[in-house]
Amino acid sequence: MALALVDTERLASDALDAVERVMMASRLSFERMGDEDITGALAGGWCDYQLWFAYRADLDVLHFASGFDMQVPEDRRRAVGDLVNLINECLWIGHFDLWAEEGRPTWRHALLLRGTGGVEDPQIVDLVTLGVGECERFYPAFQQVIEAGLAPKDALEAALMEPCGSA
């Protein structure tokens, strides 16, 4: 019996083509970096977010990362790491980490595509909406730890506070 292999080149194209369709329909700036990566940008309420999509054929996974336009100084990285750990305990989908090379807080998530028939455009919309939404939600906590020296636990509590009413 012959082994039937999936055409992973087609899968990579399909996943990143879906990303391109969504980015174009949303009028977001982006650049396709070869066959495996797409980078883009999205203006948020707190800052501009860098978007990065990568497809890995051997795992049949589409990876998404949304990074802050924020640098973490060396002397605040331990505190930010503690904040990341506390935030991740609250998340249902995705996780934050601190990219060592760039010193930037980043929200990441991967979509496993094997057996799904590929990624659908609404999944890309949901992924970007969720990722940037979490970045917007926790941006003040990162800023308070980095710039104001607030304790990670206190910064998280402030970020999770739900305001009531309006001024």
Side-chain angles (χ1 to χ4, degrees), residues 83-167:
L83 176 63
V84 163
N85 290 336
L86 292 170
I87 290 172
N88 286 340
E89 291 177 5
C90 302
L91 300 180
W92 278 60
I93 298 173
H95 68 278
F96 278 96
D97 63 22
L98 182 61
W99 282 21
E101 285 182 25
E102 298 177 11
R104 293 177 188 260
T106 303
W107 183 89
R108 300 171 51 187
H109 185 66
L111 293 176
L112 301 170
L113 302 177
R114 189 174 316 281
T116 66
V119 66
E120 301 290 331
D121 293 5
Q123 288 175 287
I124 304 299
V125 171
D126 290 347
L127 191 56
V128 173
T129 301
L130 179 63
V132 171
E134 295 292 25
C135 288
E136 286 280 290
R137 178 179 173 200
F138 293 107
Y139 181 93
F142 283 101
Q143 190 174 39
Q144 289 174 331
V145 169
I146 294 167
E147 294 183 18
L150 197 63
K153 184 179 178 203
D154 295 336
L156 177 65
E157 286 176 8
L160 294 176
M161 191 180 321
E162 293 288 333
C164 295
S166 61

Side-chain angles (χ1 to χ4, degrees), residues 44-87:
W46 296 107
C47 70
D48 292 337
Y49 297 101
Q50 293 82 40
L51 310 177
W52 178 64
F53 293 88
Y55 179 77
R56 190 164 157 189
D58 62 326
L59 297 175
D60 200 7
V61 171
L62 180 65
H63 179 263
F64 172 67
S66 176
F68 292 118
D69 187 14
M70 171 187 295
Q71 292 284 339
V72 179
E74 282 290 333
D75 65 333
R76 299 303 302 152
R77 289 192 182 187
R78 179 179 292 269
V80 169
D82 291 344
L83 176 63
V84 163
N85 290 336
L86 292 170
I87 290 172

